[in-house]
């Protein structure tokens, strides 16, 4: 199984900051990497698919990059409504696997 | 508008069975693969199973193989998850999701399953 490791597990930043969340796969996942945002008490929401494609309706301050085993989600200017847990997810091979999440907080 | 509404959750004893349903609307259900994803209390997300658009292929995580069965009724636009031989570690919120290509783009609000004596 492909293991997905996210870092940091908790990130605290100020409104307006540029924020970077990391996700590392245990093997090459060929850019089949998605990012989900989950707010407290809500279902996950797709933000980015296939590394760098912004899902319809998602603000442009969210972007993704990466290749091989290393991937990044960037929020260019953190907003209060971005408080959530962010999960990466690989769809390169079965079984499909999620990272353990990064909890994003506002300072 | 795409809507996915799960039902069928509840409290069940270990070793017993439960069947979840997910009613879909707002898209052509028979054109899409569908998936179940679960989340144990205060834990991360865990993919459980996927069924392709016509039901001819299914995929499961190892821990549920042989105990859970994913199925669909395209005439009713409904996805199912039959869960047998339930264990305490199956306790979670279960989400159904539309599985489009290499991502799950729409999710239901989830249904809670508690396995406890």
């Amino acid at each position: 199984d492909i293991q997905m490791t996210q870092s940091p597990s908790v990130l605290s930043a100020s409104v307006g900051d540029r924020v970077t969340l990391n996700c590392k796969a245990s093997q090459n996942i060929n850019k089949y990497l998605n990012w989900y945002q989950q707010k407290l008490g809500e279902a996950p929401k797709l933000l980015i698919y296939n590394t760098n494609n912004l899902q319809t309706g998602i603000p442009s301050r969210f972007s993704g990059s990466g290749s091989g085993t290393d991937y990044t989600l960037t929020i260019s200017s953190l907003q209060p409504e971005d408080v959530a847990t962010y999960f990466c997810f690989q769809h390169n091979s079965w079984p499909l696997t999620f990272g353990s999440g990064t909890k994003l907080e506002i300072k | 508008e795409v809507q996915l509404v799960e039902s069928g959750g509840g409290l069940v004893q270990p070793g017993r069975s439960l069947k979840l349903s997910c009613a879909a609307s707002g898209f052509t259900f028979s054109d899409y693969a569908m998936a179940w994803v679960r989340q144990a209390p205060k834990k991360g997300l865990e993919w459980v199973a996927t069924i392709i658009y016509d039901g001819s292929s299914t995929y499961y995580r190892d821990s549920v193989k042989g105990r859970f069965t994913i199925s669909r009724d395209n005439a009713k636009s409904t996805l199912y998850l039959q869960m047998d031989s339930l264990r305490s570690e199956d306790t979670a919120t279960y989400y159904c999701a539309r599985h489009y290509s290499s991502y799950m783009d729409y999710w239901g609000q989830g249904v809670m399953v508690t396995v406890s004596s």
Side-chain angles (χ1 to χ4, degrees):
Chain A
D1 298 5
I2 297 176
Q3 308 303 317
M4 306 298 291
T5 302
Q6 290 188 242
S7 61
S9 55
V10 180
L11 179 57
S12 185
S14 300
V15 172
D17 281 355
R18 182 180 183 87
V19 169
T20 299
L21 285 64
N22 302 297
C23 179
K24 186 175 184 68
S26 59
Q27 63 191 71
N28 182 8
I29 56 171
N30 298 300
K31 295 194 172 186
Y32 288 113
L33 188 284
N34 306 326
W35 290 96
Y36 292 90
Q37 176 194 65
Q38 187 178 33
K39 296 182 178 180
L40 198 62
E42 296 185 6
K45 177 193 291 185
L46 177 66
L47 299 177
I48 301 281
Y49 62 93
N50 296 345
T51 297
N52 56 10
N53 294 279
L54 194 66
Q55 173 67 346
T56 303
I58 301 301
S60 58
R61 64 179 180 274
F62 291 92
S63 64
S65 63
S67 63
T69 61
D70 295 295
Y71 298 84
T72 297
L73 174 70
T74 299
I75 306 173
S76 60
S77 178
L78 185 64
Q79 300 301 304
E81 60 266 31
D82 299 336
V83 168
T85 300
Y86 292 82
F87 296 94
C88 62
F89 170 75
Q90 70 82 18
H91 200 293
N92 182 71
S93 59
W94 308 97
L96 310 180
T97 47
F98 288 88
S100 56
T102 292
K103 186 176 182 180
L104 181 56
E105 301 172 340
I106 300 288
K107 273 185 193 172
Chain B
E1 178 194 5
V2 172
Q3 285 201 320
L4 299 168
V5 180
E6 302 95 337
S7 61
L11 174 63
V12 61
Q13 293 180 327
R16 303 298 291 264
S17 299
L18 203 61
K19 187 172 185 176
L20 305 182
S21 299
C22 172
S25 60
F27 65 102
T28 304
F29 183 72
S30 57
D31 284 349
Y32 292 86
M34 297 294 295
W36 289 98
V37 176
R38 68 185 180 184
Q39 187 170 34
K42 301 205 183 298
K43 298 292 187 184
L45 299 167
E46 189 172 79
W47 168 78
V48 174
T50 290
I51 185 168
I52 70 167
Y53 71 102
D54 63 357
S56 61
S57 289
T58 56
Y59 305 85
Y60 298 92
R61 66 179 303 102
D62 282 350
S63 61
V64 308
K65 270 182 197 171
R67 300 189 300 122
F68 289 13
T69 303
I70 188 172
S71 63
R72 63 192 297 157
D73 184 336
N74 284 347
K76 295 183 178 179
S77 295
T78 302
L79 176 72
Y80 302 102
L81 185 67
Q82 175 69 43
M83 303 185 292
D84 299 324
S85 303
L86 282 161
R87 305 168 180 168
S88 58
E89 54 264 37
D90 297 318
T91 293
T93 296
Y94 285 73
Y95 296 99
C96 75
R98 192 174 80 168
H99 197 155
Y100 177 66
S101 184
S102 58
Y103 50 90
M104 291 174 284
D105 56 355
Y106 288 94
W107 297 57
Q109 279 306 111
V111 63
M112 185 67 200
V113 172
T114 303
V115 184
S116 174
S117 54

